[in-house]
Amino acid sequence: MKKTTLATLVGAAAFAAAGAANATIVVGGENGYEFSVDGNINQFFVQSDADVAGGGSNDNSRVRNGLLPTFFGFNVKAPEINGLTVGARVSISPSTNGGSYFNEGQNGSAMEQREAFATVDGAFGQVMLGKGLGLYGSHNILLDQTLYGVGAVVAGNSDNGQTTLGRIGYGYDYADWRSQMRWTSVDMAGFKVALAVMDADEVGTLAGGSAEKDPRYEADLSYATNFDGGMFKAWLSGMTQKIDGAGGDIKSNAWTLGANLGLGGFDFVAAYYDNKGVGDLGGLAFGSATDANGKERDGDGYYVQAGYTFAGVTAVKASYGESTLDLTSAEKAGTIATYDIDKRSMWTVGVYHDVTSNLKLVAEYSQMEDEFHSGGELDTDVLAIGGFISW
């Protein structure tokens, strides 16, 4: 066994960010081929207390996965031939969750498949073919402190979902795991460009019949540099897609920009996004992207984060983010039913301690607030204690 960055070289963006790529188990093969495995199991005790304005509450205790699912990844890397290096990754994500009230125990778990792709690296950069993390929104989620924790739970109820939300819909749109064809440039004095064509989302219900999807296009421009005692990274990403149907077109467009500054033990992140035709919870609630007439809703949001790492092993971080979803003109006029959510916001503080390179302990507290166009709000406190074992 030896340490390697193979999982990073062939992609595995979210898992590499969690540090598991530095603990990959590599098995050498004939003629320079390599096969490796990596993974993590994370588990949290999650206590959520939700209070509805005007009365009512929903308190819940779970033992479950956090924002990241459990990963078990298989990687293959071929030797360089004629200036080209070919690699591939397939991972599975078996949930550790026990299930819902109606599906407990061994039958309550689920198996997700988020990654299955091949890469070709050369002087031109990298071409990636298959299913992996999207470009738009990827920097935002990979730098979010709740990537290693829990963050928000669904609708004030930690019993729902195979994973928690982190800060998805509470400060940024979800990058999601998408079928794609992507090109990433080589490093150009710190700058990188990435372009991709992807399978599009179903973003709403068109009046009058079925819909035909066009491809989804995503692009990312990033810059990264290191300096004495620190580092700086900035990015600008965007996406666009269109669905044509008998009732009209639905167009989804979004962009995000952000920056990450590391200085000594301090770390700062700030990011903003603006979207149209994406919908609630960072795009997870696709049906909210449009009103009943197929008119796209506008949304925007941001998050800021600051932290300090003591002795290189214990990070203390705090963040705040919010996302808003506007009513369309017809909804404001009251001529059609509204999608009621107005703004989602959340404070999070957490301690993330590396006991070893393979064991991370986490204690995290979040305070969610969901505000509605019709008035009232839902306040939820979330306490999570747990961690990661990775290899």
Side-chain angles (χ1 to χ4, degrees):
M1 295 187 296
K2 64 179 182 179
K3 293 184 178 180
T4 181
T5 57
L6 177 59
T8 303
L9 293 175
V10 297
F15 193 61
N22 293 322
T24 304
I25 301 171
V26 178
V27 179
E30 294 183 358
N31 303 319
Y33 281 85
E34 290 182 352
F35 171 77
S36 65
V37 296
D38 57 64
N40 90 90
I41 291 178
N42 71 88
Q43 192 81 327
F44 292 88
F45 172 79
V46 182
Q47 175 68 40
S48 64
D49 300 323
D51 296 314
V52 181
S57 64
N58 184 6
D59 300 341
N60 217 311
S61 298
R62 288 294 310 278
V63 179
R64 56 161 304 148
N65 277 139
L67 171 57
L68 276 178
T70 292
F71 269 102
F72 200 102
F74 305 88
N75 311 289
V76 176
K77 181 185 178 183
E80 181 179 328
I81 302 175
N82 296 329
L84 300 179
T85 301
V86 174
R89 175 176 176 83
V90 176
S91 70
I92 58 175
S93 298
S95 172
T96 66
N97 296 351
S100 68
Y101 293 121
F102 305 103
N103 194 14
E104 294 285 359
Q106 66 179 22
N107 297 319
S109 59
M111 183 79 72
E112 295 183 341
Q113 192 277 310
R114 300 189 176 203
E115 296 174 308
F117 59 82
T119 57
V120 180
D121 289 82
F124 52 83
Q126 182 188 81
V127 172
M128 180 268 223
L129 306 172
K131 185 180 181 182
L133 192 66
L135 288 173
Y136 169 69
S138 60
H139 300 285
N140 308 49
I141 192 171
L142 292 177
L143 290 170
D144 175 15
Q145 70 182 82
T146 68
L147 184 72
Y148 307 99
V150 170
V153 294
V154 178
N157 185 342
S158 63
D159 192 67
N160 294 329
Q162 294 304 318
T163 65
T164 60
L165 289 171
R167 193 169 283 288
I168 298 168
Y170 290 81
Y172 53 73
D173 286 338
Y174 186 33
D176 215 337
W177 305 85
R178 303 182 182 279
S179 181
Q180 59 189 280
M181 303 172 69
R182 179 197 299 183
W183 167 74
T184 304
S185 72
V186 296
D187 188 290
M188 300 173 289
F191 287 94
K192 277 191 176 182
V193 177
L195 305 172
V197 56
M198 303 183 179
D199 200 29
D201 290 327
E202 295 286 358
V203 296
T205 302
L206 287 170
S210 60
E212 178 183 347
K213 296 192 297 183
D214 288 344
R216 176 186 178 105
Y217 300 98
E218 296 196 2
D220 177 74
L221 171 64
S222 63
Y223 173 76
T225 185
N226 295 314
F227 55 87
D228 188 19
M231 55 76 62
F232 176 76
K233 179 179 181 179
W235 63 90
L236 173 64
S237 306
M239 75 85 177
T240 184
Q241 69 176 34
K242 184 177 71 171
I243 296 178
D244 301 320
D249 297 341
I250 294 178
K251 297 180 180 179
S252 299
N253 300 294
W255 60 271
T256 182
L257 59 84
N260 174 209
L261 173 65
L263 190 61
F266 291 96
D267 184 77
F268 306 94
V269 181
Y272 172 82
Y273 77 89
D274 186 274
N275 67 37
K276 187 180 187 70
V278 172
D280 188 21
L281 291 176
L284 288 173
F286 301 128
S288 64
T290 67
D291 65 17
N293 294 333
K295 179 66 175 178
E296 299 89 348
R297 294 189 175 93
D298 294 323
D300 65 357
Y302 70 91
Y303 85 96
V304 291
Q305 179 176 294
Y308 184 80
T309 301
F310 296 88
V313 296
T314 304
V316 179
K317 297 186 178 184
S319 60
Y320 173 79
E322 62 181 49
S323 295
T324 61
L325 189 62
D326 297 336
L327 298 177
T328 64
S329 57
E331 289 175 321
K332 291 177 181 178
T335 58
I336 59 175
T338 66
Y339 186 80
D340 202 22
I341 193 67
D342 180 14
K343 183 174 77 172
R344 299 186 187 272
S345 61
M346 183 176 71
W347 286 96
T348 298
V349 293
V351 179
Y352 311 85
H353 175 64
D354 292 326
V355 179
T356 70
S357 61
N358 302 99
L359 175 61
K360 181 189 293 288
L361 301 181
V362 177
E364 191 179 81
Y365 171 75
S366 297
Q367 188 175 70
M368 305 161 51
E369 183 177 76
D370 299 346
E371 301 177 28
F372 304 96
H373 290 290
S374 59
E377 62 187 42
L378 173 65
D379 297 323
T380 307
D381 296 326
V382 184
L383 175 65
I385 300 173
F388 286 75
I389 294 176
S390 60
W391 61 89

